[in-house]
Amino acid sequence: VAGLDQVHLAVVGAHLRGQPLNGQLLDQGAELVARTQTSSRYRLYRLQGGPPLRPGLERVAGCGKPIEVEVWAITTQGLGRVLAAVAPPLGIGSVELADGTWVKGFICETHGLGDATDITAHGGWRHYLASLAERYPILTIEDGMAEADWDGWSILTRRLGQKVQLVGDDLFVTN
């Protein structure tokens, strides 16, 4: 359980371990406490714009699915610093996890979903990114995950290792 000056924050995309914005959490001393899913009341969208590519999480009354998330413990001051760097239409709201608990988490304002692509069927951001290589003629992915993101590398290797050259110079060469 998060301490008095800490909150649990569910992240779903660019703030996941190994993704481009994860350093914002680490810079604030956040610690990964769980890998889990949302309740089945959510849809996930690939938002327009970037870089980095970003997803948007929307709570829906029906037709939702569980979406893969990571839960991080972060101080309220650190959360404020992370939130200051979050661009619209993303924001922080309450997210229901698969076990029925509620935490703070990244959500998307409805106006940002108009030209977004529904990627709910993938069940999570990492699975969506891996699917891109299955649909497009991608030959090589360089530094697809952070060097310490063993779970992310495992997902990429299982999904793409036989079809795409995975290059991680920090992981495969210098370590």
Side-chain angles (χ1 to χ4, degrees), residues 6 23-32 72-75 78:
Q6 288 190 328
Q24 291 178 355
L25 296 176
L26 298 175
D27 289 347
Q28 298 307 315
E31 295 181 6
L32 179 64
W72 292 75
I74 187 169
T75 65

Side-chain angles (χ1 to χ4, degrees), residues 43-46 58 63 113 115-122 128:
R43 298 204 65 79
L44 188 65
Y45 297 85
R46 193 260 189 217
E58 177 191 35
C63 298
L113 300 175
D115 58 355
T117 303
D118 189 333
I119 59 169
T120 304
H122 296 283
Y128 166 71

Side-chain angles (χ1 to χ4, degrees), residues 17 32-37 68-71 126 149 151-152:
R17 261 184 94 182
L32 179 64
V33 295
R35 288 186 178 90
T36 187
Q37 294 180 318
E68 177 185 61
V69 296
E70 291 177 350
V71 178
R126 284 187 178 113
D149 186 3
D151 293 334

